[in-house]
């Protein structure tokens, strides 16, 4: 039955689709999501930066700024825009570095091993926590034993594995915020506590990342990240910012309003 | 691959809950061959009108649990602002992030993948004692709760409690 039999639009939708208006909207949202999943892998191959310009053909501001980036960043690796893109882009770009940097890998492994105890001390249920930790370590160990770019990419494109990695990165971010709550509290407007912010904006999947997430994660892991900003701003060239402040960047991410991808210098 | 992780995690939780039961609820499977469908018995929290009741509910886990939350449905009749008349539990932590299609959900706590059966049930028990009347799933129960707590609300809850005693 139509939701509102007096509404001719609802009647028309029901006649043509056999669904009520709300059902039809949900079905369409599902179709759109399916299409996004089919056309955008969670993490793409490394592509020439010109693919980015193709997205903005009719846009002189963006086109110009992208052209100016060709020399510094000839390649891009895109991530799917599902709200997890910062964590996925960071995770992939950094682990890709680890494929060829044994010393850094060793340091990272020690950091992650310690992180588990911090998370348990903060009160996360060890039951579920250990599952995410074990999966994360499995991937790190795999990089150590058999460093393979194609396998790393396959791991990050497998929805289940990839999401498990994102969950753990979100937990690390939450732990850092809670550990250094006195410092991070200053970033919040209103009277939200750090704990509330973490359970509402950090730990749930698909919640987009803000500067505070990036500062917390990069500080907690001691990994420098440069973020290049591509927006409609007045400036002729894309700006950039390094996180945490003052640390030499190991990886470069591209930010467009609402989305993060990975950039490559060579 | 995701599914086998979900199976392993649910099995571990079931074993653990049987070995070390948690106050306030007990848990088992509806059908021994399906780890994704649980039956739980929730004790009415002390110092509430639900005290003395033993409410049966089902938890149905998606195959990508714990990335996605389970659904919870009371099988026993229960009168509560955040449980709809079909028994479906509407509590913010059982909603997927982004799952706000009907726009009634406040930006409260969301599902996070570290939740376990235990943390879910503890939230549900705390919801029984302390309803959220901002987004009621049972509008009539919310009205009773707000306007006639010691009268109509108590009477309907007590009737549900008695029904579970007859089971």
């Amino acid at each position: 039955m139509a939701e509102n039999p007096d509404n001719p639009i609802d009647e028309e939708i029901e006649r043509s689709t056999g669904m009520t208006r709300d059902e039809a909207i949900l079905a369409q949202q599902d179709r759109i999501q399916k299409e996004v999943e089919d056309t955008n892998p969670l993490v793409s191959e490394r592509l020439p930066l010109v693919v980015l310009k193709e997205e903005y053909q009719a846009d002189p501001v963006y086109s110009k700024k992208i052209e100016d980036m060709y020399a510094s960043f000839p390649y891009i690796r895109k991530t799917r825009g599902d709200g997890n893109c910062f964590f996925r882009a960071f995770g992939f770009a950094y682990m890709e570095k680890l494929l060829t940097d044994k010393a850094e890998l060793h340091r990272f492994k020690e950091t992650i091993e310690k992180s588990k105890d911090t998370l348990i001390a903060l009160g996360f249920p060890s039951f579920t926590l250990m599952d995410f930790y074990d999966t994360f370590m499995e991937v790190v160990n795999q990089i150590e034993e058999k460093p393979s770019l194609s396998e790393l990419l396959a791991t990050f494109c497998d929805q289940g594995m990839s999401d498990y990695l994102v969950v753990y990165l979100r937990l690390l971010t939450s732990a850092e915020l809670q550990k250094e709550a006195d410092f991070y509290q200053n970033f919040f407007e209103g009277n939200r506590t750090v704990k509330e912010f973490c359970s509402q904006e950090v730990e749930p999947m698909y919640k987009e990342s803000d500067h505070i997430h990036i500062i917390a994660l990069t500080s907690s892991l001691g990994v420098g990240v440069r973020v290049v900003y591509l927006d409609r701003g007045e400036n002729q060239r894309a700006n950039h910012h390094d996180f945490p402040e003052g640390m030499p960047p190991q990886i470069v991410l591209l930010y467009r309003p609402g989305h993060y991808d990975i950039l490559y210098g060579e | 691959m995701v599914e086998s992780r979900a199976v392993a995690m649910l099995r571990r939780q079931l074993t653990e809950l049987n070995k070390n039961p948690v106050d306030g609820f007990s848990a088992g499977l509806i059908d021994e061959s399906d780890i994704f469908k649980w039956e739980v018995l929730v004790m009415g929290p002390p110092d509430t009108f639900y005290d003395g009741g033993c409410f049966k509910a089902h938890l149905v886990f998606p195959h990508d649990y714990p990335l996605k939350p389970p659904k919870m449905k009371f099988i026993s009749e229960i009168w509560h602002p955040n449980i709809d008349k079909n028994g479906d539990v509407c509590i913010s932590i059982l909603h997927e992030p982004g799952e706000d299609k009907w726009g009634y959900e406040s930006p409260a706590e969301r599902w996070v993948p570290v939740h376990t059966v235990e943390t879910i049930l503890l939230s549900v028990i705390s919801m029984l004692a302390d309803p959220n009347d901002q987004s009621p799933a049972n509008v009539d129960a919310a009205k009773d709760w707000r306007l006639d707590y010691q009268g109509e609300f108590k009477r309907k809850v007590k009737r549900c409690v008695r029904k579970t005693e007859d089971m």
Side-chain angles (χ1 to χ4, degrees):
Chain A
M1 218 183 81
E3 309 272 295
N4 177 357
D6 299 330
N7 184 331
I9 297 174
D10 285 357
E11 278 181 22
E12 176 55 37
I13 289 173
E14 193 171 348
R15 214 177 5 256
S16 59
T17 64
M19 290 185 275
T20 66
R21 186 181 189 155
D22 287 339
E23 284 169 349
I25 290 170
L26 286 185
Q28 190 185 18
Q29 283 172 345
D30 286 348
R31 266 201 311 278
I32 292 169
Q33 180 168 359
K34 182 91 182 29
E35 207 176 294
V36 169
E37 284 170 12
D38 289 347
T39 48
N40 300 305
L42 289 167
V43 178
S44 80
E45 296 285 346
R46 204 161 95 145
L47 305 162
L49 193 61
V50 65
V51 298
L52 188 63
K53 197 186 151 196
E54 284 162 9
E55 288 181 36
Y56 296 100
Q57 270 173 353
D59 190 323
V61 180
Y62 272 95
S63 297
K64 174 74 173 61
K65 286 186 180 176
I66 294 166
E67 274 170 27
D68 287 342
M69 286 167 59
Y70 284 175
S72 334
F73 303 108
Y75 298 102
I76 185 172
R77 199 186 283 278
K78 292 192 187 181
T79 66
R80 191 186 294 165
D82 63 358
N84 294 315
C85 55
F86 164 71
F87 291 101
R88 229 181 296 268
F90 172 89
F92 186 87
Y94 180 61
M95 288 193 182
E96 187 179 15
K97 278 270 173 215
L98 296 182
L99 291 172
T100 52
D101 189 340
K102 281 257 183 283
E104 179 70 9
L105 175 64
H106 185 70
R107 187 193 71 81
F108 183 64
K109 242 183 112 163
E110 282 187 351
T111 310
I112 296 299
E113 274 164 9
K114 278 187 226 140
S115 70
K116 162 190 72 183
D117 301 327
T118 310
L119 284 160
I120 291 173
L122 282 168
F124 287 99
S126 64
F127 237 115
T128 30
L129 175 71
M130 284 310 289
D131 224 47
F132 293 106
Y133 169 81
D134 288 342
T135 305
F136 198 91
M137 271 315 231
E138 217 174 273
V139 175
V140 176
N141 287 332
Q142 175 76 21
I143 292 172
E144 189 171 32
E145 283 153 25
K146 190 168 158 247
S148 150
L149 179 58
S150 62
E151 280 190 28
L152 186 64
L153 185 58
T155 300
F156 269 83
C157 286
D158 173 297
Q159 185 89 50
M161 280 299 274
S162 200
D163 284 353
Y164 264 60
L165 299 174
V166 168
V167 169
Y168 201 71
L169 291 174
R170 285 181 177 277
L171 292 175
L172 292 174
T173 308
S174 172
E176 169 72 11
L177 289 165
Q178 294 186 55
K179 246 178 17 191
E180 307 294 334
D182 289 345
F183 170 69
Y184 289 106
Q185 186 71 56
N186 302 318
F187 288 76
F188 299 131
E189 290 163 20
N191 39 20
R192 201 144 51 150
T193 65
V194 168
K195 183 95 186 83
E196 282 166 348
F197 180 81
C198 287
S199 62
Q200 292 167 4
E201 306 291 340
V202 182
E203 293 160 23
M205 291 292 279
Y206 315 111
K207 281 283 182 181
E208 287 183 12
S209 297
D210 226 323
H211 274 180
I212 188 165
H213 299 73
I214 304 178
I215 296 168
L217 182 61
T218 54
S219 308
S220 127
L221 296 176
V223 175
V225 174
R226 171 163 296 177
V227 177
V228 175
Y229 295 90
L230 183 59
D231 56 31
R232 212 157 266 296
E234 292 284 303
N235 46 309
Q236 291 294 301
R237 304 175 72 93
N239 286 329
H240 68 255
H241 191 86
D242 292 344
F243 298 94
E245 201 132 354
M247 186 177 275
Q250 291 178 268
I251 57 177
V252 183
L253 302 183
L254 173 68
Y255 177 78
R256 291 176 278 162
H259 188 66
Y260 290 89
D261 295 300
I262 306 167
L263 286 176
Y264 293 90
E266 56 200 60
Chain B
M1 158 74 225
V2 187
E3 184 171 333
S4 62
R5 272 168 203 277
V7 169
M9 197 185 281
L10 288 169
R11 285 218 179 285
R12 281 215 318 273
Q13 290 192 52
L14 186 63
T15 312
E16 176 64 24
L17 283 171
N18 286 335
K19 211 163 54 184
N20 298 309
V22 176
D23 275 352
F25 73 93
S26 65
L29 298 181
I30 298 174
D31 167 353
E32 286 305 316
S33 66
D34 189 352
I35 188 74
F36 290 99
K37 293 188 177 137
W38 290 41
E39 184 164 281
V40 291
L41 289 173
V42 180
M43 314 307 152
D47 302 320
T48 69
F49 300 144
Y50 302 94
D51 190 10
C54 178
F55 301 91
K56 190 193 277 186
H58 288 170
L59 276 170
V60 177
F61 294 86
H63 286 209
D64 49 1
Y65 169 81
L67 295 168
K68 302 270 173 67
K71 294 201 186 317
M72 183 167 175
K73 186 188 189 79
F74 275 92
I75 304 303
S76 306
E77 191 182 327
I78 187 163
W79 190 250
H80 188 280
N82 305 115
I83 301 169
D84 77 11
K85 288 175 183 170
N86 296 321
D88 292 316
V89 177
C90 297
I91 183 173
S92 64
I93 67 153
L94 292 186
H95 285 241
E96 284 176 41
E99 187 194 292
D100 205 354
K101 286 158 186 163
W102 311 113
Y104 61 76
E105 188 65 37
S106 66
E109 222 179 312
R110 295 286 176 167
W111 172 254
V112 296
V114 284
H115 277 304
T116 60
V117 172
E118 180 178 341
T119 61
I120 293 166
L121 264 298
L122 293 179
S123 292
V124 168
I125 290 166
S126 127
M127 174 201 78
L128 286 180
D130 187 13
N132 166 17
D133 76 335
Q134 296 301 308
S135 58
N138 180 341
V139 181
D140 296 324
K143 219 163 85 187
D144 289 348
W145 184 75
R146 250 195 322 261
L147 303 176
D148 196 9
Y149 183 69
Q150 289 293 341
E152 198 58 15
F153 185 73
K154 179 175 174 181
R155 199 176 62 75
K156 284 182 183 149
V157 172
K158 286 287 185 192
R159 197 177 59 205
C160 296
V161 169
R162 274 196 307 278
K163 278 195 183 171
T164 73
E165 286 163 349
D166 298 339
M167 276 190 333

